[in-house]
Amino acid sequence: MSTNTHNIVVIGGSFAGLPVAHTVLKTVIPTLNSSQSYKVFVLSPNAEFYWKVGAPRSIVNPKALPEDKAFLSIAEGFKKYDKSQFEHIKAFATSIDPSNQTISYSDAAQGPVTSTLHYDSLVLASGTSFKDPVWSVQQGEAATKQALHEIHTRLEKAETIVIAGGGAAGVETAGELGSLYGKSKRVTLLSGAPQLLSRLQNPAVGMDAQAKLEKMGIEVVHNVRIESSTKDSSGRDALKMNDGTERVVDVHIEATGDAPNNTFIPKDWLNEKGFVKTDTPTLRADIPGVKNVYVLGSIGSYSKGGIPEILFGYKVVCESIRVDLAGETDGPKRKKVFKPMAKDMQMVPIGPGGGVATAFGWRFPNFVVAMAKSKTFMVEKASGYVDGTGP
């Protein structure tokens, strides 16, 4: 690699990072000065992309969403690019040194630094993680697969199941359990809030979700959260709640704790909640003295979370990269700017037969959710994120 090669490093190998890498390679670099060489790196702990949109079905019913469809090779998706153009580093980012523009990384989680990588342009797309590894590959795909295999075994034998979290992940998981097992298992969903899907502006969506779950035999309990969980002598989960009550169940599934993956990011780049300070229209990092750093997805301070937001944003990041590398400035006619969604956009399957959905202030009927998402959890779209033919 030439010593004057401009390194564009993307930290994150999931829904945000991979589309940026493909778009920069396919549509940004070809427009730039041909005398300058560029190379795109993706640095992530996972060698495989995980279709976490379908995680509730992967957790509950692996026959309906098998592992070979939920996990796809990143290397296979990028094989069309020459080694001089692209490299995937499977490792854990440990720190960023802004003064030297380097990233330190380790081959193991919380392990010693293995090497460093120089960056000229940097895209932060590390996302967020739940407490339970079944939801993401932030500890590597092996940890996620192991966690999934373990919960499959436990769920088959379980008679009592508690799901913690009344957001989309918890509701969808409860719906999968209700659909697969009916009333043969006692399933309880702890919302931890006054109602289900409490982040949505229209409370009727959460009320509709609760009615569908209760029709399946799911018990829904509000304003109760799990404070701690331990194993009893028989291997069951002993739970202590915030209201002072206790339960012992065969399985409890954590669908909470969506926290930013920020341990490697300089503290002064983060806001008080731990998200990267971001200029919303351009999705550049909004940090004094920091240039050529971009932010996409739920790690950003601008983000409300969700895949639709990434779909609206990844081309904005790529346009900002193009403008900066071309030596241009943002003018009033810049077309690709990020505009936060004023209205909710969320589709929540409750079993394969339907669910609830809202977009742009409208609610959608059950059959629309069934056709658009519930039947397959849209796993057929996974390959497009990995090979660049989508999203």
Side-chain angles (χ1 to χ4, degrees), residues 93-352:
T94 58
S95 64
I96 295 172
D97 179 351
S99 59
N100 292 310
Q101 293 187 206
T102 58
I103 303 158
S104 297
Y105 58 87
S106 172
D107 291 338
Q110 300 178 340
V113 171
T114 305
S115 188
T116 59
L117 174 65
H118 175 79
Y119 69 86
D120 298 287
S121 299
L122 175 63
V123 181
L124 298 172
S126 55
T128 54
S129 291
F130 280 21
K131 294 177 181 178
D132 194 318
V134 296
W135 299 105
S136 71
V137 285
Q138 293 304 324
Q139 298 302 313
E141 69 275 2
T144 302
K145 289 179 180 180
Q146 180 180 344
L148 286 170
H149 296 164
E150 289 174 356
I151 203 165
H152 294 159
T153 301
R154 296 184 68 200
L155 283 175
E156 287 182 2
K157 301 175 182 178
E159 295 181 1
T160 55
I161 303 166
V162 164
I163 305 161
V171 170
E172 291 172 354
T173 303
E176 290 297 303
L177 287 165
S179 174
L180 184 62
Y181 295 112
K183 299 179 181 179
S184 65
K185 298 179 185 289
R186 183 182 175 186
V187 180
T188 302
L189 175 60
L190 305 178
S191 72
Q195 70 165 70
L196 298 180
L197 306 174
S198 60
R199 292 184 180 180
L200 297 181
Q201 297 165 359
N202 187 348
V205 181
M207 294 168 64
D208 188 15
Q210 179 169 340
K212 291 178 183 296
L213 289 173
E214 289 177 338
K215 191 175 181 179
M216 291 177 161
I218 307 296
E219 177 190 19
V220 178
V221 178
H222 296 304
N223 296 313
V224 175
R225 300 182 303 277
I226 296 173
E227 293 281 309
S228 65
S229 171
T230 57
K231 296 289 185 184
D232 71 5
S233 57
S234 64
R236 302 176 76 208
D237 292 333
L239 311 176
K240 290 185 178 181
M241 314 299 181
N242 65 318
D243 63 355
T245 61
E246 299 183 8
R247 290 194 188 198
V248 178
V249 297
D250 296 317
V251 175
H252 104 271
I253 300 171
E254 279 288 344
T256 63
D258 199 12
N261 297 316
N262 63 7
T263 56
F264 61 93
I265 299 173
K267 299 299 182 186
D268 61 333
W269 289 16
L270 306 175
N271 67 9
E272 67 281 359
K273 294 183 178 179
F275 298 93
V276 180
K277 301 171 189 174
T278 309
D279 176 64
T280 299
T282 65
L283 300 185
R284 293 185 179 98
D286 189 12
I287 304 151
V290 173
K291 296 182 179 180
N292 299 324
V293 176
Y294 314 87
V295 189
L296 183 62
S298 55
I299 190 62
S301 62
Y302 75 96
S303 176
K304 295 181 180 178
I307 306 298
E309 190 181 75
I310 291 173
L311 298 181
F312 293 140
Y314 79 94
K315 291 183 180 180
V316 175
V317 167
C318 292
E319 174 64 4
S320 291
I321 293 172
R322 187 201 67 77
V323 167
D324 293 343
L325 293 184
E328 300 175 4
T329 58
D330 291 320
K333 295 184 179 180
R334 170 172 165 154
K335 294 181 179 179
K336 293 184 177 68
V337 296
F338 184 83
K339 298 178 181 179
M341 291 181 290
K343 298 290 186 178
D344 292 320
M345 181 181 290
Q346 191 161 42
M347 186 170 288
V348 183
I350 300 175

Side-chain angles (χ1 to χ4, degrees), residues 204-205 208-209 212 346-359 361-375:
V205 181
D208 188 15
K212 291 178 183 296
Q346 191 161 42
M347 186 170 288
V348 183
I350 300 175
V356 296
T358 180
W362 296 89
R363 292 172 61 195
F364 292 88
N366 197 68
F367 78 89
V368 172
V369 184
M371 292 176 61
K373 188 175 181 181
S374 294
K375 288 184 178 179

